[in-house]
Amino acid sequence: MKNKKTHLKLLTCAIAAGICTQASAGLTLYDKDDTTFSTDGLINTFYVHSQVDDLDDTLDRTQSRVKMGFLPNYIGFNFGKQVDDLKLGARSSFWVSVNDANTNLTSTGIDVRQFYGTVDGEWGQVLIGKDFALFGRSNILGDELLLGYGQVGSDGLIDGQGVSFGNIGTGYLYPFPNAQITYRTPKNNGFQLAVGLMDPSKSASGSEESTPRIEAELTFETQLSDNVPMKAWVSGMAQSSTSGATDVDSNGVAYGVNVKLAGLSLSASGFSATGVGTAGLANLVTADNADVDGYLVQASYTTGKERLVASYGENSGGTTASANNLDAQNTAVAWFHTVNSNLKLVAEYDRTESDARETDTVALGAVLTW
């Protein structure tokens, strides 16, 4: 129960960095004397109907909710200033829940997911502060259901005031926001490398981490032919944590590819990791040598204002070396209708199967961005 509550709390901060490529580009508030200041944000709410068939009958029920989707509601602020040959930048983003009053009257808290500065030059970029991690970052940013709802079945998330899982636990792990020092190279022939020192996750309150966690991501973008862009990526992480006589070594690799042809988008991604839990490196791990693997395959087709998505993903593995308690699959279909550049309507169906339960979810909602 304690682990489940931890997951619920941590997963109320699902990723939204990079969604401006799917939504709007933000509003410029100031642009003068080589200095810019802008804002961006997202508000989404869904009517959600879930039917749960729990294997031990403890969660059997039909549940109706009004909730936010995979992404929390947030507002972000961006700063930029050119100083000689350097471009200085900063970003902060603040996240809130909309469905927080059904048990606590109101308990909205401001959750700071990003608070970082950047220095750019001809040599690349250095980022300092808090941002989403590198391991699995492109897997989740490339999810065609990022602006949708996703699964709530693998950990029984039909309750609570947080977000849904998206495809966390059924296709990828979550690159939790982390204090970091990250260097990114300039793009060269389509390649770009990012390497970061991350504040390590702990295996116990008094555990020892003698070195930071190392994470890296290599991306490659090219045109296979006219109007056929392709993006491929691979990322990895490694860290160690010692608590008493117990050593927990965590490592993993994630990868993927996306190809677009006219209105068709095809994506395939996957990962393999050791010493992580349901969502990833959440406060650390489980047991050493606990393996989990996963993959996600998706297709979407866009015509005019309509985008149709088909998705299947699964994770397999456990929180101990011999367990399979992380096994889960999610099959989803979704329809996105663009009303205008700031408003989308969403209809989505997810069927999630795990060792604990089967959950069918229908979500109908709207996403407002700026």
Side-chain angles (χ1 to χ4, degrees), residues 64-82:
S64 291
R65 301 290 308 276
V66 176
K67 289 191 64 176
M68 58 190 179
F70 182 30
L71 298 177
N73 297 274
Y74 82 93
I75 184 170
F77 298 97
N78 310 283
F79 164 80
K81 184 175 180 64
Q82 187 71 40

Side-chain angles (χ1 to χ4, degrees), residues 272-287:
S272 179
T274 297
V276 301
T278 305
L281 284 158
N283 83 232
L284 187 65
V285 286
T286 47

Side-chain angles (χ1 to χ4, degrees), residues 301-308 334-346:
Y301 183 73
T302 302
T303 175
K305 294 186 175 183
E306 317 304 325
R307 182 167 68 96
L308 302 176
W335 165 66
F336 295 83
H337 172 69
T338 299
V339 178
N340 54 50
S341 60
N342 298 99
L343 179 63
K344 295 180 186 294
L345 304 180
V346 185

